[in-house]
Coordinates of all heavy atoms in Angstrom, one line a residue:
Q1 N 6.2 10.4 -9.0 CA 7.4 10.1 -9.8 C 7.2 8.8 -10.6 O 7.8 8.6 -11.6 CB 8.6 9.9 -8.9 CG 9.1 11.2 -8.3 CD 10.3 11.0 -7.4 OE1 10.5 9.9 -6.9 NE2 11.1 12.0 -7.3
R2 N 6.4 7.9 -10.1 CA 6.2 6.6 -10.7 C 4.9 6.5 -11.5 O 4.5 5.4 -11.9 CB 6.3 5.5 -9.7 CG 7.7 5.4 -9.1 CD 7.9 4.2 -8.3 NE 9.2 4.1 -7.9 CZ 9.6 3.7 -6.7 NH1 8.8 3.4 -5.7 NH2 10.9 3.7 -6.4
N3 N 4.2 7.6 -11.6 CA 2.9 7.7 -12.4 C 1.9 6.7 -11.9 O 1.3 6.0 -12.7 CB 3.2 7.5 -13.9 CG 3.9 8.8 -14.5 OD1 3.7 9.9 -14.0 ND2 4.7 8.6 -15.5
I4 N 1.7 6.6 -10.6 CA 0.7 5.7 -10.1 C -0.5 6.6 -9.6 O -0.3 7.5 -8.8 CB 1.2 4.9 -8.9 CG1 2.3 4.0 -9.3 CG2 0.1 4.2 -8.2 CD1 3.1 3.3 -8.2
N5 N -1.6 6.5 -10.3 CA -2.7 7.4 -10.1 C -3.8 6.6 -9.4 O -4.1 5.4 -9.8 CB -3.2 8.0 -11.4 CG -2.2 8.8 -12.0 OD1 -1.6 9.7 -11.4 ND2 -1.9 8.5 -13.3
L6 N -4.5 7.2 -8.4 CA -5.6 6.5 -7.8 C -6.9 7.3 -8.0 O -6.9 8.5 -7.9 CB -5.4 6.5 -6.2 CG -4.2 5.8 -5.7 CD1 -4.0 6.0 -4.2 CD2 -4.4 4.3 -6.0
N7 N -7.9 6.5 -8.4 CA -9.2 7.2 -8.6 C -9.9 7.1 -7.2 O -9.4 6.6 -6.2 CB -10.1 6.5 -9.6 CG -10.4 5.0 -9.3 OD1 -10.5 4.6 -8.2 ND2 -10.4 4.2 -10.4
E8 N -11.1 7.7 -7.1 CA -11.8 7.8 -5.8 C -12.0 6.4 -5.2 O -11.9 6.2 -4.0 CB -13.1 8.6 -6.0 CG -13.6 9.2 -4.7 CD -12.6 10.2 -4.1 OE1 -11.9 10.9 -4.8 OE2 -12.5 10.2 -2.8
S9 N -12.4 5.4 -6.0 CA -12.6 4.1 -5.5 C -11.4 3.5 -5.0 O -11.4 2.8 -3.9 CB -13.2 3.2 -6.7 OG -13.3 1.9 -6.3
D10 N -10.3 3.7 -5.7 CA -9.0 3.2 -5.2 C -8.6 3.8 -3.8 O -8.1 3.1 -2.9 CB -7.8 3.4 -6.2 CG -8.0 2.7 -7.5 OD1 -8.6 1.6 -7.5 OD2 -7.5 3.2 -8.5
K11 N -8.8 5.1 -3.7 CA -8.5 5.8 -2.5 C -9.4 5.2 -1.3 O -8.9 5.0 -0.2 CB -8.8 7.3 -2.6 CG -7.8 8.0 -3.5 CD -8.1 9.4 -3.6 CE -7.2 10.1 -4.7 NZ -7.6 11.5 -4.9
N12 N -10.6 4.9 -1.6 CA -11.5 4.4 -0.6 C -11.1 3.0 -0.2 O -11.1 2.7 1.0 CB -13.0 4.3 -1.1 CG -13.6 5.7 -1.2 OD1 -13.1 6.6 -0.5 ND2 -14.6 5.9 -2.0
R13 N -10.7 2.2 -1.1 CA -10.2 0.8 -0.8 C -8.9 0.9 0.0 O -8.8 0.1 1.0 CB -9.9 0.0 -2.1 CG -11.2 -0.4 -2.9 CD -10.9 -1.0 -4.2 NE -10.1 -2.2 -4.1 CZ -9.2 -2.6 -5.0 NH1 -9.0 -1.9 -6.1 NH2 -8.5 -3.7 -4.8
L14 N -8.0 1.8 -0.3 CA -6.8 1.9 0.4 C -7.1 2.4 1.8 O -6.5 1.9 2.8 CB -5.8 2.9 -0.3 CG -4.4 2.9 0.1 CD1 -3.7 1.5 0.1 CD2 -3.6 3.8 -0.8
E15 N -8.0 3.4 2.0 CA -8.3 3.9 3.3 C -9.0 2.8 4.2 O -8.7 2.7 5.3 CB -9.3 5.1 3.1 CG -9.7 5.7 4.5 CD -10.6 6.9 4.3 OE1 -11.0 7.2 3.2 OE2 -10.9 7.5 5.3
E16 N -9.8 2.0 3.6 CA -10.5 0.9 4.3 C -9.4 -0.1 4.8 O -9.5 -0.6 5.9 CB -11.5 0.2 3.4 CG -12.8 0.9 3.2 CD -13.7 0.2 2.3 OE1 -13.6 -1.0 2.1 OE2 -14.6 0.9 1.7
A17 N -8.4 -0.4 3.9 CA -7.3 -1.3 4.3 C -6.5 -0.7 5.5 O -6.2 -1.4 6.4 CB -6.4 -1.6 3.1
V18 N -6.2 0.6 5.4 CA -5.5 1.2 6.5 C -6.3 1.1 7.8 O -5.7 0.9 8.8 CB -5.1 2.7 6.1 CG1 -4.6 3.5 7.3 CG2 -4.1 2.7 5.0
N19 N -7.6 1.4 7.7 CA -8.4 1.3 8.9 C -8.4 -0.1 9.5 O -8.3 -0.3 10.8 CB -9.8 1.7 8.6 CG -9.9 3.2 8.3 OD1 -9.1 4.0 8.8 ND2 -11.0 3.6 7.6
K20 N -8.5 -1.1 8.7 CA -8.4 -2.5 9.2 C -7.1 -2.8 9.8 O -7.0 -3.5 10.9 CB -8.8 -3.5 8.1 CG -10.2 -3.5 7.7 CD -10.4 -4.4 6.5 CE -11.9 -4.4 6.0 NZ -12.1 -5.3 4.9
I21 N -6.0 -2.4 9.2 CA -4.7 -2.7 9.7 C -4.5 -1.9 11.1 O -3.9 -2.5 12.0 CB -3.6 -2.3 8.7 CG1 -3.7 -3.2 7.5 CG2 -2.2 -2.4 9.3 CD1 -2.9 -2.7 6.3
A22 N -5.0 -0.7 11.1 CA -4.9 0.1 12.4 C -5.6 -0.6 13.5 O -5.1 -0.7 14.7 CB -5.5 1.5 12.2
Q23 N -6.8 -1.2 13.2 CA -7.5 -2.0 14.2 C -6.8 -3.2 14.8 O -6.9 -3.6 15.9 CB -8.9 -2.5 13.7 CG -9.9 -1.3 13.4 CD -11.1 -1.8 12.8 OE1 -11.2 -3.0 12.3 NE2 -12.1 -1.0 12.7
K24 N -5.9 -3.7 13.9 CA -5.1 -4.9 14.3 C -3.7 -4.5 15.0 O -2.9 -5.3 15.3 CB -4.8 -5.8 13.1 CG -6.1 -6.4 12.6 CD -6.6 -7.5 13.5 CE -7.7 -8.3 12.9 NZ -8.2 -9.4 13.7
G25 N -3.5 -3.2 15.0 CA -2.3 -2.7 15.7 C -1.1 -2.5 14.7 O 0.0 -2.3 15.2
G26 N -1.3 -2.6 13.4 CA -0.2 -2.4 12.5 C 0.3 -1.0 12.5 O -0.4 0.0 12.8
K27 N 1.6 -0.8 12.3 CA 2.3 0.5 12.3 C 2.8 0.9 11.0 O 2.6 2.0 10.5 CB 3.5 0.5 13.3 CG 3.1 0.1 14.8 CD 2.3 1.2 15.4 CE 2.0 0.9 16.9 NZ 0.6 1.1 17.3
D28 N 3.6 0.0 10.3 CA 4.1 0.2 9.0 C 3.7 -1.0 8.2 O 4.2 -2.1 8.5 CB 5.6 0.4 9.0 CG 6.0 1.7 9.7 OD1 5.7 2.8 9.1 OD2 6.5 1.7 10.8
S29 N 2.9 -0.9 7.2 CA 2.3 -2.0 6.5 C 2.6 -2.0 5.0 O 2.7 -0.9 4.4 CB 0.8 -2.0 6.7 OG 0.3 -3.2 6.2
L30 N 2.7 -3.2 4.4 CA 2.7 -3.3 3.0 C 1.3 -3.7 2.5 O 0.7 -4.7 3.0 CB 3.7 -4.5 2.6 CG 3.7 -4.9 1.1 CD1 4.2 -3.8 0.2 CD2 4.5 -6.2 0.9
I31 N 0.8 -2.9 1.6 CA -0.6 -3.1 1.1 C -0.4 -3.4 -0.4 O 0.1 -2.5 -1.1 CB -1.5 -2.0 1.4 CG1 -1.7 -1.7 2.9 CG2 -2.9 -2.2 0.7 CD1 -2.5 -0.5 3.2
M32 N -0.8 -4.5 -0.9 CA -0.8 -4.9 -2.3 C -2.2 -4.7 -2.8 O -3.2 -5.3 -2.3 CB -0.4 -6.3 -2.5 CG 1.0 -6.7 -2.0 SD 2.3 -5.9 -3.1 CE 1.9 -6.6 -4.7
M33 N -2.3 -3.8 -3.8 CA -3.6 -3.5 -4.4 C -3.5 -3.3 -5.9 O -2.7 -2.4 -6.3 CB -4.2 -2.3 -3.8 CG -5.6 -1.9 -4.3 SD -6.3 -0.5 -3.4 CE -5.5 0.9 -4.3
D34 N -4.1 -4.1 -6.7 CA -4.1 -4.0 -8.2 C -2.7 -3.9 -8.7 O -2.3 -3.0 -9.5 CB -4.9 -2.7 -8.6 CG -6.3 -2.8 -8.2 OD1 -6.9 -3.9 -8.0 OD2 -6.9 -1.7 -8.0
N35 N -1.9 -4.9 -8.3 CA -0.5 -5.0 -8.8 C 0.4 -3.8 -8.5 O 1.4 -3.5 -9.1 CB -0.4 -5.3 -10.3 CG -1.1 -6.6 -10.6 OD1 -0.9 -7.6 -10.0 ND2 -1.9 -6.6 -11.7
V36 N 0.0 -3.1 -7.4 CA 0.8 -2.0 -6.9 C 1.1 -2.2 -5.4 O 0.2 -2.6 -4.7 CB 0.1 -0.6 -7.1 CG1 0.9 0.5 -6.5 CG2 -0.2 -0.3 -8.6
A37 N 2.3 -2.0 -5.0 CA 2.7 -2.2 -3.6 C 2.8 -0.8 -3.0 O 3.4 0.1 -3.5 CB 4.0 -2.9 -3.5
Y38 N 2.1 -0.7 -1.8 CA 2.1 0.6 -1.1 C 2.7 0.2 0.3 O 2.2 -0.7 1.0 CB 0.7 1.1 -0.8 CG 0.0 1.5 -2.1 CD1 -0.8 0.5 -2.7 CD2 0.1 2.7 -2.7 CE1 -1.5 0.8 -3.9 CE2 -0.5 3.0 -3.9 CZ -1.3 2.1 -4.5 OH -2.0 2.3 -5.7
V39 N 3.7 1.0 0.7 CA 4.2 0.9 2.1 C 3.6 2.1 2.8 O 3.9 3.2 2.4 CB 5.7 0.9 2.2 CG1 6.2 0.9 3.6 CG2 6.3 -0.4 1.5
V40 N 2.8 1.8 3.8 CA 2.0 2.9 4.5 C 2.4 3.0 6.0 O 2.4 1.9 6.6 CB 0.5 2.6 4.3 CG1 -0.3 3.7 5.0 CG2 0.2 2.5 2.8
N41 N 2.6 4.2 6.4 CA 2.7 4.4 7.9 C 1.3 4.6 8.4 O 0.6 5.5 8.0 CB 3.6 5.6 8.2 CG 3.6 5.9 9.7 OD1 2.7 6.5 10.2 ND2 4.7 5.4 10.3
I42 N 0.9 3.6 9.1 CA -0.6 3.5 9.5 C -1.0 4.6 10.5 O -2.0 5.3 10.2 CB -0.9 2.1 10.1 CG1 -0.6 1.0 9.0 CG2 -2.3 2.0 10.5 CD1 -1.3 1.1 7.7
P43 N -0.2 4.9 11.6 CA -0.7 5.9 12.5 C -0.8 7.3 11.8 O -1.7 8.1 12.1 CB 0.4 5.9 13.6 CG 1.0 4.6 13.5 CD 1.0 4.2 12.1
N44 N 0.1 7.6 10.9 CA 0.1 8.9 10.2 C -0.7 8.9 8.9 O -0.9 9.9 8.3 CB 1.5 9.3 9.9 CG 2.3 9.6 11.1 OD1 1.8 10.0 12.1 ND2 3.6 9.3 11.0
R45 N -1.2 7.7 8.5 CA -2.0 7.6 7.3 C -1.3 8.2 6.1 O -1.8 8.9 5.3 CB -3.4 8.3 7.5 CG -4.2 7.8 8.6 CD -4.9 6.5 8.3 NE -6.1 6.2 9.0 CZ -6.1 5.4 10.1 NH1 -5.0 4.9 10.6 NH2 -7.2 5.1 10.7
T46 N 0.0 7.8 6.0 CA 0.9 8.3 5.0 C 1.5 7.2 4.1 O 2.1 6.2 4.7 CB 2.1 9.1 5.6 OG1 1.5 10.1 6.4 CG2 2.9 9.7 4.6
V47 N 1.4 7.3 2.8 CA 2.0 6.4 1.9 C 3.5 6.8 1.8 O 3.8 7.9 1.4 CB 1.4 6.4 0.5 CG1 2.1 5.5 -0.5 CG2 -0.1 5.9 0.6
I48 N 4.4 5.9 2.2 CA 5.8 6.1 2.2 C 6.4 5.8 0.8 O 7.2 6.5 0.3 CB 6.5 5.3 3.3 CG1 5.9 5.5 4.7 CG2 8.0 5.5 3.3 CD1 5.9 6.9 5.2
T49 N 5.9 4.7 0.3 CA 6.4 4.2 -1.0 C 5.3 3.6 -1.8 O 4.5 2.9 -1.2 CB 7.5 3.1 -0.8 OG1 8.6 3.7 -0.1 CG2 8.1 2.7 -2.2
A50 N 5.3 3.8 -3.1 CA 4.3 3.1 -4.0 C 5.1 2.7 -5.2 O 5.9 3.5 -5.8 CB 3.2 4.1 -4.4
M51 N 4.9 1.4 -5.6 CA 5.6 0.9 -6.8 C 4.8 -0.1 -7.5 O 4.1 -0.9 -6.9 CB 7.0 0.4 -6.4 CG 7.0 -0.8 -5.5 SD 8.6 -1.3 -5.1 CE 9.1 0.0 -4.0
D52 N 4.8 0.0 -8.8 CA 4.1 -1.0 -9.6 C 5.0 -2.2 -9.9 O 6.1 -2.3 -9.4 CB 3.6 -0.4 -10.9 CG 4.7 0.1 -11.9 OD1 5.8 -0.3 -11.7 OD2 4.3 0.8 -12.8
Q53 N 4.5 -3.2 -10.7 CA 5.2 -4.4 -11.0 C 6.6 -4.2 -11.5 O 7.5 -4.9 -11.2 CB 4.4 -5.3 -11.9 CG 3.2 -5.9 -11.3 CD 2.5 -6.8 -12.3 OE1 2.2 -6.3 -13.4 NE2 2.1 -8.0 -11.9
N54 N 6.8 -3.2 -12.3 CA 8.1 -2.9 -13.0 C 9.1 -2.6 -11.9 O 10.3 -2.9 -12.1 CB 8.0 -1.8 -14.0 CG 7.1 -2.1 -15.1 OD1 7.0 -3.3 -15.6 ND2 6.3 -1.1 -15.6
Y55 N 8.8 -1.9 -10.9 CA 9.7 -1.5 -9.8 C 9.9 -2.6 -8.7 O 10.8 -2.5 -8.0 CB 9.3 -0.2 -9.2 CG 9.5 1.0 -10.1 CD1 8.4 1.5 -10.9 CD2 10.7 1.6 -10.3 CE1 8.6 2.6 -11.7 CE2 10.9 2.7 -11.1 CZ 9.8 3.2 -11.8 OH 10.0 4.2 -12.7
M56 N 8.9 -3.5 -8.6 CA 8.9 -4.5 -7.6 C 9.9 -5.6 -7.8 O 10.2 -6.3 -6.8 CB 7.5 -5.1 -7.4 CG 6.6 -4.2 -6.6 SD 5.1 -5.1 -6.1 CE 4.1 -4.9 -7.5
K57 N 10.3 -5.8 -9.0 CA 11.2 -7.0 -9.3 C 12.4 -7.0 -8.4 O 13.1 -6.0 -8.4 CB 11.5 -7.0 -10.8 CG 10.3 -7.2 -11.7 CD 10.7 -7.2 -13.1 CE 9.5 -7.4 -14.0 NZ 9.7 -7.1 -15.3
E58 N 12.6 -8.1 -7.7 CA 13.8 -8.2 -6.8 C 13.9 -7.2 -5.8 O 15.0 -6.9 -5.3 CB 15.0 -8.4 -7.7 CG 15.0 -9.6 -8.6 CD 16.4 -9.9 -9.2 OE1 17.4 -9.6 -8.6 OE2 16.3 -10.4 -10.3
N59 N 12.8 -6.5 -5.4 CA 12.8 -5.5 -4.4 C 12.5 -6.2 -3.1 O 11.8 -7.1 -3.0 CB 11.8 -4.4 -4.7 CG 12.1 -3.1 -4.1 OD1 12.8 -3.1 -3.1 ND2 11.7 -2.1 -4.7
I60 N 13.2 -5.7 -2.0 CA 13.0 -6.2 -0.7 C 12.3 -5.2 0.2 O 12.7 -4.0 0.2 CB 14.3 -6.6 0.0 CG1 15.0 -7.7 -0.8 CG2 14.1 -7.0 1.4 CD1 16.4 -7.9 -0.4
F61 N 11.2 -5.6 0.8 CA 10.5 -4.6 1.7 C 10.9 -4.9 3.1 O 10.8 -6.0 3.7 CB 9.0 -4.9 1.6 CG 8.4 -4.6 0.2 CD1 8.3 -5.6 -0.7 CD2 8.1 -3.3 -0.2 CE1 7.8 -5.4 -2.0 CE2 7.6 -3.1 -1.4 CZ 7.5 -4.1 -2.4
T62 N 11.4 -3.8 3.8 CA 11.9 -3.9 5.1 C 11.1 -2.9 6.0 O 10.4 -2.1 5.4 CB 13.4 -3.6 5.3 OG1 13.7 -2.3 4.8 CG2 14.2 -4.6 4.5
Q63 N 11.3 -3.0 7.3 CA 10.7 -2.0 8.2 C 9.2 -2.1 8.1 O 8.5 -1.0 8.3 CB 11.2 -0.6 7.9 CG 12.7 -0.5 8.0 CD 13.3 -0.6 9.3 OE1 12.7 -0.1 10.3 NE2 14.4 -1.2 9.5
I64 N 8.6 -3.3 7.9 CA 7.1 -3.4 7.9 C 6.8 -4.4 9.0 O 7.6 -5.3 9.4 CB 6.5 -3.8 6.6 CG1 7.0 -5.2 6.2 CG2 6.8 -2.8 5.5 CD1 6.3 -5.8 5.0
D65 N 5.6 -4.2 9.6 CA 5.2 -5.2 10.6 C 3.9 -5.9 10.2 O 3.4 -6.7 11.0 CB 5.0 -4.5 12.0 CG 4.0 -3.4 12.0 OD1 3.1 -3.4 11.1 OD2 4.0 -2.5 12.8
S66 N 3.4 -5.6 9.1 CA 2.1 -6.2 8.6 C 2.0 -6.1 7.1 O 2.7 -5.3 6.5 CB 0.9 -5.6 9.3 OG 0.9 -4.2 9.1
A67 N 1.1 -6.9 6.5 CA 0.9 -6.9 5.1 C -0.6 -7.2 4.8 O -1.2 -8.0 5.6 CB 1.8 -7.9 4.4
M68 N -1.1 -6.7 3.8 CA -2.5 -7.0 3.4 C -2.5 -7.0 1.9 O -2.0 -6.1 1.2 CB -3.4 -5.9 3.9 CG -4.9 -6.2 3.7 SD -5.9 -5.0 4.6 CE -7.5 -5.8 4.4
I69 N -3.2 -8.0 1.3 CA -3.4 -8.1 -0.1 C -4.9 -7.9 -0.4 O -5.7 -8.6 0.1 CB -3.0 -9.5 -0.6 CG1 -1.5 -9.7 -0.3 CG2 -3.2 -9.6 -2.1 CD1 -1.0 -11.1 -0.5
L70 N -5.2 -6.9 -1.2 CA -6.6 -6.6 -1.6 C -6.9 -7.2 -2.9 O -6.1 -7.1 -3.9 CB -6.8 -5.1 -1.7 CG -6.5 -4.3 -0.4 CD1 -6.7 -2.8 -0.6 CD2 -7.4 -4.8 0.7
E71 N -8.0 -7.9 -3.0 CA -8.5 -8.5 -4.2 C -9.1 -7.4 -5.1 O -9.7 -6.4 -4.6 CB -9.5 -9.6 -3.9 CG -8.9 -10.7 -3.2 CD -7.9 -11.6 -4.0 OE1 -8.1 -11.7 -5.2 OE2 -7.0 -12.1 -3.4
N72 N -9.2 -7.6 -6.4 CA -9.8 -6.7 -7.3 C -11.3 -6.7 -7.1 O -12.0 -7.5 -6.8 CB -9.5 -7.1 -8.8 CG -8.1 -6.8 -9.1 OD1 -7.4 -6.1 -8.5 ND2 -7.6 -7.5 -10.2

């Protein structure tokens, strides 16, 4: 719906982040990658929400227990 596309490299980076968060015991996490915010259910490996900068303005993220910011 928000036209956020991931190439294979992006998918791998996101998967690596999910694995690291899972090792630390995260359950629902905010992952920031390339100016896109992903709220991910870690145990189910499911992206719940994805939004770019246009949708993030004044948005509040709730129901998360961890966050990770990935560098380019």
